Amino acid sequence: MAFSIEGEWYPTFLAEYAPDLNWGVTSLPYPEGAEEQSSGFLQGGMLVIPAASKNKEAAYTFVEWLTSDEAQVALCAAKGNLPATHSGLADPALLEQNPSLEPFAEYASHAQTKALPALPFMGEYNTLMITIEEQIYSQAVTVDEALNQVTEKIQPLADEWAAAK
């Protein structure tokens, strides 16, 4: 048995590249004696229209369409992602088109599930967290050591960002 923390896109990836793999989805464990919880975090992408764009109105029209529930559901079901809107997430067509998204849609609907903030240093944070998680799983560092490493590397970036605001 193996364990890996992945996103909602992973089942679609597995269906294409490892169709015979026996796999499942579960929530992360919580401390013994704690009230049962289902929590996690969400992270979205961004759509940008560059200032130098030659046709900003057409680009904006496209972004408006792409962020509509109909387009979100169709695109996300095909890619194996969750829509960026609550109404798109609740649309029955999403799970009809891609049933493997069901547990992720359920987790995304829980009150304890939070969205990560869109900050300019999130790329560095995400990259560091991947490395730190692997170190924790392999017992190369303790959780406290890992948290200290994250604080040492990310806090200066957060301080710099806050000072510039």
Side-chain angles (χ1 to χ4, degrees), residues 10-19:
Y10 207 60
T12 303
F13 174 87
L14 290 176
E16 183 171 343
Y17 296 104

Side-chain angles (χ1 to χ4, degrees), residues 111-125:
Q112 289 105 289
T113 302
K114 306 294 182 208
L116 290 177
L119 298 169
F121 52 87
M122 287 309 290
E124 291 93 334
Y125 173 79

Side-chain angles (χ1 to χ4, degrees), residues 52-75:
S53 176
K54 293 180 181 174
N55 197 340
K56 290 180 185 148
E57 287 183 30
Y60 186 78
T61 299
F62 176 72
V63 168
E64 275 189 310
W65 171 81
L66 189 59
T67 56
S68 70
D69 284 346
E70 180 183 355
Q72 281 279 297
V73 167
L75 179 65

Side-chain angles (χ1 to χ4, degrees), residues 20 31 46 51 63 101 114 137 140:
D20 297 327
M46 291 182 254
V63 168
L101 290 172
K114 306 294 182 208
Y137 298 146

